[in-house]
Amino acid sequence: MKKVLTFVAICLMSIQIATAQSSSQEFSIQEEMPQFVGGEDALVDWIENNISYPMMADIKSIEGRVVVSFDINEDGTIGNIRQEEAADPLLADEVISRLQQMPQWIPAVQNGRNVKVRYTLPIFFYLVF
C-alpha cells in the first residue's frame, strides 16, 4: 500500500491579520503577507518532505483532512499551533508535531513594521493502492 500526502494551499488557505485596526485608520497602506522562504512551492515541498503518513493510520486505513492554524510571529517564527479540524487524532498529531519544527517564515509587514498573523492550513492524507 502506497501512501501519498496531498497539500492544497491556494484554494483553501486563509490568512488573517492578528493585529487590531482602529476604525479611524485609512486602509491605503500596502500590506505584505507572510511568506514561507522560497514561496508556496517551497512550502509544499517542505510539507511533503517532513509530514509522514502515521504508521497506525496506515494500519487502520485512516485518511482525510487535517486543518491547523498557527501564528507567524513578528520574527517569522511559528507559534500557537491549533487543530481546527481533523479526520483522526493520529493524523492531527503528526501534522502538529511536524509544524513545531517548521523553519522561520518571512513575516507580514503592515505600516512598515513586522506584524503577527494567523495562518490556516489544510493538509490531506490519502491511501493509494
Side-chain angles (χ1 to χ4, degrees):
M1 192 179 328
K2 183 178 176 187
K3 281 75 68 192
V4 176
L5 171 68
T6 304
F7 167 70
V8 179
I10 299 170
C11 297
L12 298 174
M13 173 178 61
S14 71
I15 302 173
Q16 304 163 342
I17 295 184
T19 55
Q21 296 248 347
S22 166
S23 60
S24 64
Q25 250 184 333
E26 295 202 23
F27 295 95
S28 62
I29 300 165
Q30 179 65 36
E31 305 205 12
E32 295 177 38
M33 301 313 287
Q35 281 192 10
F36 190 81
V37 175
E40 287 184 14
D41 290 340
L43 175 59
V44 171
D45 289 343
W46 187 90
I47 289 170
E48 289 177 350
N49 291 321
N50 289 279
I51 297 179
S52 303
Y53 212 105
M55 185 182 299
M56 287 305 296
D58 181 17
I59 291 169
K60 295 180 177 183
S61 297
I62 297 169
E63 57 184 12
R65 180 172 77 166
V66 175
V67 179
V68 292
S69 64
F70 52 89
D71 293 337
I72 302 170
N73 297 309
E74 295 87 348
D75 63 356
T77 57
I78 302 302
N80 195 21
I81 301 169
R82 284 187 275 178
Q83 169 190 321
E84 302 294 337
E85 176 186 324
D88 189 271
L90 290 170
L91 302 177
D93 291 346
E94 171 67 12
V95 170
I96 291 169
S97 70
R98 299 300 181 195
L99 289 182
Q100 291 171 339
Q101 301 167 6
M102 185 177 268
Q104 279 186 274
W105 288 50
I106 300 167
V109 177
Q110 183 176 15
N111 296 329
R113 63 185 185 101
N114 294 354
V115 293
K116 180 191 295 188
V117 298
R118 189 95 188 133
Y119 196 89
T120 302
L121 182 69
I123 297 176
F124 296 83
F125 290 85
Y126 294 105
L127 294 171
V128 179
F129 300 92

